[in-house]
Amino acid sequence: MAFPELAFPEEEPPMSRVQLALNVGDLDASIEFYSKLFNTAPAKVRENYANFAIAEPPLKLVLIAGQGEPGSLNHVGVEVETTDEVAAAATRMQAEGAACDVQDATTCCYAVQDKVWVSGPEIPWEIYTVLADAPVMHPVSGECCVPAEATDAADATAPVAVGAKPSACC
């Protein structure tokens, strides 16, 4: 599919940005629409997947085809620049009493990431940094973009560490 000619800002992406991952029914049509809406081309396109690193407004928009009801929210998160920022977010949220699921060097969304899933009242949020590109959406045995088994309240006060253990998910 050919994408329309667009003018792209020459700005560097922000240090951190909110991520919205949407389930879509027609990936090509969604790429075309969001390219026009945000005046930017996708940063990555793979089988049943695309993402946009949007400078204005600061947003990481992820499109996932073939999962969930088209038009529904797949997951939300915050992309940060470093593993240290992921660790700081995990420590801060744990101190606030939130259950945290740390996942290190996990493959998800065609990227190797360090991340922490923070349990919210309705849905979990991921805070993550991208370490490298990956050739697959997620390992064959795992699911992408979901926290491991829910942590019970007693575990919410246990120390968390980023970079210390392999992922139980993804």
Side-chain angles (χ1 to χ4, degrees):
M1 165 178 195
F3 295 105
E5 286 294 319
L6 303 170
F8 303 111
E10 294 294 325
E11 302 171 4
E12 289 292 315
M15 297 290 277
S16 63
R17 58 183 158 222
V18 170
Q19 174 190 290
L20 298 176
L22 305 176
N23 295 317
V24 299
D26 183 333
L27 184 61
D28 289 337
S30 296
I31 289 171
E32 183 176 0
F33 172 79
Y34 290 110
S35 292
K36 291 174 183 175
L37 180 66
F38 292 111
N39 197 33
T40 192
K44 184 186 291 188
V45 178
R46 302 287 190 273
E47 182 180 352
N48 293 323
Y49 178 87
N51 78 41
F52 294 78
I54 301 164
E56 190 57 41
L59 174 66
K60 179 72 162 268
L61 178 65
V62 177
L63 306 177
I64 302 172
Q67 294 184 19
E69 182 68 28
S72 66
L73 185 64
N74 185 287
H75 67 279
V76 293
V78 177
E79 181 182 27
V80 296
E81 199 165 299
T82 68
T83 295
D84 288 344
E85 291 172 276
V86 174
T91 299
R92 181 176 61 80
M93 291 308 296
Q94 178 188 20
E96 294 289 338
C100 295
D101 173 26
V102 175
Q103 299 177 354
D104 301 315
T106 187
T107 297
C108 184
C109 295
Y110 292 99
V112 179
Q113 306 168 352
D114 280 345
K115 68 172 72 182
V116 60
W117 285 97
V118 180
S119 296
E122 291 83 26
I123 60 171
W125 279 71
E126 71 172 328
I127 301 169
Y128 70 98
T129 189
V130 174
L131 304 173
D133 200 34
V136 295
M137 177 76 166
H138 54 83
V140 175
S141 63
E143 292 218 14
C144 184
C145 303
V146 294
E149 291 297 318
T151 307
D152 65 30
D155 290 339
T157 59
V160 294
V162 176
K165 65 182 177 96
S167 170
C169 174
C170 295

